[in-house]
């Protein structure tokens, strides 16, 4: 496996380069010219902090919380507004303060061509390292604006079929058996449940859920299993419990152990904390069977699309995930969901104070609408 990975790394640079240069943007320019969209005027970025209230205390292997800070962005251009969002779960290191600070350095008024996404996002990326959610909030708003200027939804611009969306999993956090049973009942509408594992109650969690439902499960260990032999035993046990895949079973630093585990695992392994951006897809190949793409990790829709393309070209499985987010960022991600193996887009379902109407989850299925851009309106 090690040797294969080394051999692969030699050629992978070429693939990454191809993904970068053959992006979807080349498809936009002809449409732009035909549509005759105006190319004058100045973009104006505005933003405000907001706090999402969670319906339940949300517990994963490493933390618990009842709120999530987000920043809502808008880009106004010639009377049209694009909406975006940054979501900052505390364990990822961004905050209201860091996002507002980053956005104060973004000046979109200097760009004459609003369709020049490659240049605009490359410039924004260089303002400071990190800050992926802050960058995503501009990326999403600009994608929304451009979709509205073209009067097309993004699945359409990308050439995807809006009906090919998957069912989303619904997340069940770590909790006592009584609360877990209650959460499973509340999740009746959803066809797949995503179970958070990684503490010492893992088998109890699964057995509790299996006492009330036999629907397919996916599990997310959030790096919680430290020993590869223990992890393999657990995955063998889970493979007999109608579990579809195992997300991030081991700490992200344990690359060789993870490759060992993937080679032997009876279930697909999916990288979440181990991957963030486009270049990480290469590193995950041969270590995991697939990747979990999240807009808040990878700086937004532009890079997420490239990651999807690259992972597919490598024969890897792809899931699209989310943080707790309003329907704004969830809708943005949903346009890519037509091309994935699994979706975990339940972020807006977990909050009680959404401020957007957009992509809906209907009978558990991600359901895109026909609105242009990312498909949201303010409520
Ligand atoms: Mg995860």
């Amino acid at each position: 496996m090690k040797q294969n990975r080394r051999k692969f790394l030699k050629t992978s640079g070429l693939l990454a380069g191809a993904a970068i240069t053959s992006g979807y943007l080349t498809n936009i320019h002809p449409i732009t010219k035909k549509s005759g969209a105006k190319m004058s005027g100045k973009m104006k970025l505005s933003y405000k902090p907001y706090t999402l209230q969670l319906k339940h205390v949300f517990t994963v292997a490493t933390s618990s919380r009842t709120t999530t800070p987000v920043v809502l962005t808008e880009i106004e251009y010639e009377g049209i507004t694009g909406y975006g969002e940054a979501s900052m779960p505390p364990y990822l290191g961004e905050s209201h303060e860091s996002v507002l600070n980053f956005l104060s350095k973004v000046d979109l008024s200097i760009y004459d061509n609003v369709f020049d996404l490659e240049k605009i996002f490359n410039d924004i990326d260089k303002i400071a390292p990190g800050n992926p959610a802050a960058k995503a909030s501009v990326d999403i708003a600009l994608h929304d604006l451009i979709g509205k200027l073209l009067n097309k939804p993004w699945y359409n611009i990308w050439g995807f079929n809006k009906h090919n969306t998957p069912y989303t999993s619904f997340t069940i956090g770590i909790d006592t058996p009584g609360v877990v049973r209650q959460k499973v009942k509340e999740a009746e509408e959803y066809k797949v449940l995503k179970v958070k594992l990684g503490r010492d109650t893992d088998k109890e969690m699964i057995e509790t859920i299996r006492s009330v439902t036999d629907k397919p499960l996916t599990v997310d260990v959030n790096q919680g299993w430290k020993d590869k032999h223990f992890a393999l035993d657990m995955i063998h046990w889970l493979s007999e419990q109608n579990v579809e895949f195992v997300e991030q079973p081991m700490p992200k630093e344990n690359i060789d152990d993870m490759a060992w585990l993937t080679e032997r695992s009876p279930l697909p392994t999916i990288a979440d904390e181990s991957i963030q951006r486009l270049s990480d897809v290469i590193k995950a190949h041969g270590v995991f069977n697939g990747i979990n793409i999240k807009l808040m990790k990878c700086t937004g829709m532009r890079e997420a699309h490239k990651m999807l393309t690259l992972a597919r070209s490598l024969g890897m499985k792809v899931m699209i995930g989310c943080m707790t987010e309003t329907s704004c960022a969830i809708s943005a991600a949903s346009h890519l969901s037509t091309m994935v193996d699994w979706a975990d887009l339940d972020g807006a379902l977990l909050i009680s104070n959404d401020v957007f109407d957009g992509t809906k989850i209907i009978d558990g299925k991600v359901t895109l609408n026909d609105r242009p851009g990312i498909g949201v309106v303010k409520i």
Side-chain angles (χ1 to χ4, degrees), residues 262-363:
T262 294
E263 208 163 55
R264 292 160 180 78
S265 174
L267 296 176
T269 60
I270 306 294
D272 185 3
E273 289 89 337
S274 287
I275 65 129
Q276 190 182 352
R277 300 193 55 175
L278 181 62
S279 61
D280 299 318
V281 178
I282 303 294
K283 295 176 199 157
H285 186 258
V287 180
F288 292 86
N289 298 117
I291 58 166
N292 183 351
I293 299 172
K294 293 177 180 170
L295 300 188
M296 296 303 147
K297 287 196 302 188
C298 75
T299 72
M301 295 168 72
R302 166 176 165 269
E303 187 143 329
H305 182 274
K306 291 174 179 175
M307 291 173 77
L308 173 78
T309 307
L310 178 55
R312 283 295 184 219
S313 76
L314 296 172
M316 297 180 80
K317 300 278 188 191
V318 176
M319 73 176 285
I320 189 146
C322 63
M323 310 298 177
T324 37
E325 296 163 357
T326 72
S327 289
C328 178
I330 294 294
S331 297
S334 71
H335 291 259
L336 287 160
S337 76
T338 56
M339 295 297 288
V340 302
D341 299 288
W342 301 285
D344 179 32
L345 293 178
D346 63 350
L349 305 169
L350 305 176
I351 62 170
S352 58
N353 58 343
D354 201 349
V355 282
F356 287 95
D357 177 84
T359 294
K360 289 190 166 32
I361 309 300
I362 299 177
D363 292 332

Side-chain angles (χ1 to χ4, degrees), residues 194 196 220-222 247-248 272-273 292 294 344:
K194 174 168 166 172
K196 292 289 191 178
D220 186 356
V221 188
N222 288 116
E247 189 178 327
Q248 197 69 43
D272 185 3
E273 289 89 337
N292 183 351
K294 293 177 180 170
D344 179 32

Side-chain angles (χ1 to χ4, degrees), residues 132-269:
K135 291 169 184 174
S137 74
V138 183
D139 168 289
I140 294 168
L142 192 47
H143 275 79
D144 191 35
L145 174 70
I146 283 175
K148 285 170 175 168
L149 289 169
L150 297 172
N151 198 27
K152 286 182 185 297
W154 268 95
Y155 60 77
N156 198 313
I157 295 168
W158 276 327
F160 300 156
N161 183 335
K162 71 177 265 198
H163 301 293
N164 287 350
T165 50
Y167 291 104
T168 181
S169 53
F170 184 86
T171 302
I172 308 288
I174 297 170
D175 223 313
T176 58
V179 176
V180 168
R181 273 194 289 273
Q182 180 59 32
K183 285 182 183 171
V184 172
K185 276 181 197 149
E186 286 173 24
E188 200 166 0
E189 175 188 349
Y190 306 102
K191 313 291 187 213
V192 184
L193 299 179
K194 174 168 166 172
V195 186
K196 292 289 191 178
L197 297 182
R199 290 194 174 175
D200 52 8
T201 54
D202 288 354
K203 286 192 176 176
E204 184 186 53
M205 276 287 291
I206 299 293
E207 283 164 352
T208 300
I209 291 166
R210 278 286 166 256
S211 72
V212 283
T213 181
D214 59 0
K215 57 177 74 161
L217 305 179
T218 68
V219 307
D220 186 356
V221 188
N222 288 116
Q223 315 184 71
W225 297 336
K226 311 300 180 199
D227 178 82
K228 64 182 179 183
H229 297 284
F230 173 81
L232 185 59
D233 286 348
M234 277 301 296
I235 296 175
H236 274 291
W237 183 78
L238 290 168
S239 70
E240 293 162 6
Q241 310 286 329
N242 194 15
V243 170
E244 295 191 343
F245 66 77
V246 178
E247 189 178 327
Q248 197 69 43
M250 301 197 67
K252 60 183 176 185
E253 300 78 21
N254 298 12
I255 296 164
D256 289 339
D257 285 353
M258 194 55 235
W260 180 94
L261 186 61
T262 294
E263 208 163 55
R264 292 160 180 78
S265 174
L267 296 176
T269 60

